Amino acid sequence: MTKKEKTLLLVDGNSVAFRAFFALQNVGSFTNRSGLHTNAIYVFKKILDNILKKYAPENVLVAFDAGKTTFRTEKFSDYKGGRARTPGELSEQFPYIRKMLEAYGIKSYELENYEADDIIGTLAQTGESKNYRVIIVTGDRDLTQLTTAQTTVAITQKGFSEIEEYTPAHVEEKYGLKPDQIIDMKGLAGDSSDNYPGVTKIGEKTAIKLLKQYQTIEGIYENIDEMKKSKMKEHLIEDRKTALLCKDLATIKKNAPLTLGLADTIRKEADQDGLRSLFEELDFKSFLDELSPNASQQVDFEKLPVTILTADQLDKLPVKKNSEITFYLEMDGKNYHNAPFVGFIFKIDDHYFGARDVALLKEQPLQKILTDQEYQLDVFDFKRTYVGLNRLGIQMAGVRFDLLLVSYLLNNTENSDDVGELAGEHHYDQVKTDAEFYGKGAKRQIPEDDGQLFDHLSHKVLAIHALKEQLFDELKENQQLDLYQDLELPLALVLAKMEIVGITVDTQRLEAMRSEFKERLAELEQEIVNEAGEEFNLNSPKQLGHILFEKLQLPVIKKTKTGYSTAVGVLEQLRGMSPIVDNILNYRQLAKLQSTYIEGLLKVVFKEDHKAHTRYTQTLTATGRLSSVDPNLQNIPIRLEEGRKIRQAFTASHPGWEIFSADYSQIELRVLAHIAQDEHMQEAFKADRDIHANTAMEIFGLADEKDVTPNLRRQAKAVNFGIVYGISDYGLSQNIGITRKQAKQFIDTYFEKFPGVKQYMEQIVKKAQEQGYVETVFKRRRYLPDINNKNFNLRSFAERTAMNSPIQGSAADIIKAAMIKMDHELRAKKMQARMLLQVHDELIFEVPHEELADFEKLVSSVMDSAVDLSVPLKVECAHGKTWFDAK
DNA sequence: ACCGTCACG
DNA sequence: ACGTACGTGACGGTC
């Protein structure tokens, strides 16, 4: 066996540190407890681990820049001029990166007057001469000039777990140039980040074209007389000196006077203790866990005394009315409507009682503790617990603290549904996550040993208890106690009941549709394959792209990261160019209905009661809306007639009952009129005018509503939507197919006519900048860490979010309040009608025929008066045999 | 696990 | 100059 060639890894320390810094610049405060920024160190370490694992090098060196002045600044004083200073948040991290490298057993090196590039170029040369495989890691594409048969340049990507490897062939494929021509390209095109100019008016494209013909800059000038007269030729002649200077600047030295050799780059063994103390100083908990186990470090959590309950012990439980009780019901799976029970645990004052047999919960005093309001309970995820217990015939009551819900209200950005993770976010670390304890994916397993299982469960209830006081204090501080107690906690119960009731699905109707669609899909597929001239998978955007844009040569309208876009918008523009396009559009529409709404829905209908029992996620969205999963009943088709028919499969659960829908008309715009206190907009709503027509009249300067053509109304409607989303001229122009200039004109006129709205938009952004968050009318918060970010995109996004979230979030608050009130009224009036679904601005009920008239009055008045705004709320009602007919 | 696509408000 | 509308979930394909 021949000896494997050795690998030399050369890392551009400054470049990778920069990449690392910006990769995690915007994830809130990434600092250790003494305020030192650690994001670049963190990502640097990740990248380092990645490449060490990937290339397993025998020799490693990390090169750094020595200082601002080098031999290049001597040749060209403006070299790298105009570059923003390294942010202090980054420079403070460099000493730690070097310390870390030392502990890794890796050599760092810098050389007066030279850049890291030159150190790397020189060592790469040495490595090659000694037959090493050389790997250069950097974030800087200029180094691709060093690629050879033996040397690969790996460029770190944005995501920092990915790297892109450049071999000479890859360089050629990417730039159309050989590696050593990169410097010629730079000489011609210049480099704005290194601040050298190149030849006037020549950019990368032109440079590449020239180099394809003449190979090098020198080659160009040797042949310059042959070139046709042109502006470009003049520029080339004029800038000859600059071009050659720039090429020289771009050239990485391969003969820097290094004071070390290959022998100095041999990797030494890592210093575990050094790493440990460094990671401790940096608060890198997850990295500490990875270090080789250190007996003194692996302190287990305190063992809690759990009594495993049996039926004969129940009468001796030390429980009083004022006991502090925490309860946790463990189920094996997300879907609590049918997940198997694992067991339960009570923390009653300082005692822990648990059992696997959940039937014990039906016995006294356990059932009484769970259902009697006199006992106050603390839990994690009340809704989940309620639905689980309901399967045992137990209607839980008396919940005071729900860790999941409270935590979501305090900060909805990083809210996990795992006790361990969530506790960790609040700096409580005496509980494992479920993934750590049970394992994840295929490895997930419930331990058979009681001691193990209940040890985990006991730490869960302790975590809930331990965080209670602190989180309640935070709620009070934020003035969110009412939001929690009067809105979200009562809502959890309302949602639980809706989920349990479920909605009846006519599976026969769905099955009939399935057969019909199956035939039509087969026909369409046949036609498409005929037109394409070959079999392919038309569900694959990749294969479809190949057929449309390569085989059939249709024009490419838009590209995605991975290839050609084949989205609806693109296909619509291709219509008429080939009959295949229409067929694909039809196929797509039907396939979506078939897979998601017919087959998908049939899979989740419960056999026992022919119902779909969705789960509402109450602690997920950034704005305060609900979401619906398994199945998602908030996105059942309605816009296209074909899809709308799916709604025929949703029916009332009793003969003689009807599906009843009540939706808020224009709730978001009404909320805006209220929050912004815009008189013109308020007046329009008070007079119950057609709001989009009203906007059309204002922005197009029409005197009479009769002058509002459907097209003007459509445009005005888009403007109204744009306003709600935090408008940009570009977004609006794209949406209604006008120029950006026209869109800007619309927006300016809108703000002139609705000055209150304009003022609101400015004020809310300012408020977000000052306090770091925005809030709804019910004081729900959304934090916007990017609002002062230097990155234009991230900042702009945060600004639009600042404008939109109070609107969308307040609308969510309002319908939640209406749901609680409605639930209350139905019980108070002893009506049989039941709330089934919520779709953001709409509530769906099933109502017995004889209650219809009373019900309509009730729901309208309840929803109208859910909150008191400075504009009226308007509710539109409809009912019919199926959801489809409730229109 | 991620992407592209598409369903809803 | 930058490159975007706000908020979601499910599917099939692909890595």
Side-chain angles (χ1 to χ4, degrees), chain A residues 681-709:
Chain A
M681 212 167 161
Q682 291 186 349
E683 193 197 309
F685 281 123
K686 282 177 186 160
D688 197 22
R689 284 206 282 273
D690 174 340
I691 193 66
H692 300 315
N694 185 72
T695 300
M697 287 165 67
E698 295 285 354
I699 61 177
F700 300 120
L702 310 172
D704 197 314
E705 199 170 320
K706 286 194 205 86
D707 299 333
V708 180
T709 64

Side-chain angles (χ1 to χ4, degrees), chain A residues 100-107 265-271:
Chain A
M100 179 167 71
L101 288 167
E102 197 187 333
Y104 261 84
I106 290 173
K107 184 90 185 158
T265 66
I266 295 171
R267 200 177 152 197
K268 299 194 207 67
E269 206 172 314
D271 167 11

Side-chain angles (χ1 to χ4, degrees), chain A residues 3 23 32 43 74 89 124 220 312 344 371 529 564 572-573 589 618 757 847:
Chain A
K3 195 166 165 288
N32 74 349
V43 178
E74 234 155 82
E89 296 90 339
I220 294 172
D312 54 337
F344 66 87
T371 55
V529 166
Y564 310 108
E572 266 164 5
Q573 292 186 57
Q589 199 196 329
Q618 196 183 352
V757 175
V847 183

Side-chain angles (χ1 to χ4, degrees), chain A residues 19-32:
Chain A
R19 281 290 180 115
F21 178 71
F22 289 105
L24 264 189
Q25 193 195 15
N26 306 306
V27 289
S29 59
F30 210 102
T31 55
N32 74 349

Side-chain angles (χ1 to χ4, degrees), chain A residues 374-644:
Chain A
E374 294 287 303
Y375 295 96
Q376 293 201 326
L377 303 172
D378 302 324
V379 298
F380 180 88
D381 198 346
F382 169 44
K383 180 160 68 71
R384 178 181 171 91
T385 314
Y386 183 92
V387 176
L389 288 176
N390 184 71
R391 286 160 55 193
L392 300 164
I394 298 167
Q395 274 80 52
M396 191 184 200
V399 168
R400 171 179 52 170
F401 176 63
D402 178 343
L403 172 57
L404 175 67
L405 207 44
V406 169
S407 175
Y408 169 72
L409 295 180
L410 289 173
N411 192 342
N412 52 24
T413 41
E414 280 175 42
N415 214 54
S416 162
D417 58 4
D418 179 276
V419 178
E421 277 181 39
L422 201 63
E425 273 154 33
H426 295 285
H427 307 107
Y428 178 91
D429 58 8
Q430 294 296 300
V431 55
K432 287 187 182 163
T433 65
D434 281 347
E436 282 164 359
F437 182 72
Y438 295 116
K440 61 177 176 187
K443 278 186 268 170
R444 184 179 159 95
Q445 213 187 345
I446 311 286
E448 280 175 26
D449 178 69
D450 281 354
Q452 280 183 39
L453 174 65
F454 288 99
D455 183 56
H456 181 50
L457 297 186
S458 65
H459 283 96
K460 281 195 186 183
V461 279
L462 177 56
I464 297 167
H465 178 77
L467 284 166
K468 176 167 66 169
E469 201 181 317
Q470 176 200 333
L471 297 200
F472 262 128
D473 284 347
E474 289 181 32
L475 273 185
K476 275 177 218 149
E477 204 169 300
N478 291 359
Q479 301 183 340
Q480 291 180 305
L481 211 50
D482 292 346
L483 172 66
Y484 169 64
Q485 286 174 340
D486 302 339
L487 197 77
E488 294 294 348
L489 188 60
L491 181 74
L493 176 58
V494 175
L495 292 173
K497 292 193 288 189
M498 290 164 65
E499 294 174 8
I500 290 166
V501 170
I503 185 164
T504 302
V505 177
D506 180 349
T507 49
Q508 288 181 353
R509 180 93 195 81
L510 286 182
E511 269 154 16
M513 292 171 97
R514 174 162 63 180
S515 326
E516 185 204 325
F517 282 19
K518 196 176 160 195
E519 274 182 35
R520 288 170 58 192
L521 280 167
E523 283 165 24
L524 281 168
E525 182 168 2
Q526 193 53 53
E527 277 188 49
I528 292 167
V529 166
N530 286 344
E531 282 152 2
E534 65 179 285
E535 297 257 345
F536 70 103
N537 186 344
L538 43 173
N539 291 319
S540 159
K542 196 177 161 198
Q543 295 181 32
L544 180 61
H546 170 76
I547 296 287
L548 292 180
F549 304 112
E550 286 171 24
K551 185 149 187 200
L552 300 180
Q553 287 290 308
L554 295 176
V556 177
I557 312 262
K558 204 171 113 192
K559 285 196 151 195
T560 66
K561 271 186 258 181
T562 49
Y564 310 108
S565 169
T566 65
V568 170
V570 171
L571 295 184
E572 266 164 5
Q573 292 186 57
L574 297 175
R575 261 195 165 135
M577 295 189 201
S578 165
I580 199 172
V581 177
D582 266 312
N583 283 328
I584 289 167
L585 282 166
N586 286 332
Y587 178 89
R588 277 260 177 90
Q589 199 196 329
L590 280 189
K592 174 85 181 178
L593 294 176
Q594 181 80 314
S595 66
T596 304
Y597 296 104
I598 297 183
E599 290 173 345
L601 200 52
L602 280 168
K603 271 186 223 151
V604 294
V605 171
F606 281 63
K607 299 222 161 44
E608 301 87 326
D609 58 4
H610 299 282
K611 283 179 171 184
H613 298 272
T614 186
R615 286 164 6 249
Y616 289 102
T617 329
Q618 196 183 352
T619 55
L620 182 141
T621 69
T623 54
R625 276 189 174 183
L626 302 175
S627 84
S628 157
V629 293
D630 220 12
N632 181 356
L633 294 180
Q634 290 182 319
N635 72 346
I636 302 300
I638 189 166
R639 291 173 193 166
L640 299 173
E641 193 55 27
E642 191 90 54
R644 191 174 198 156

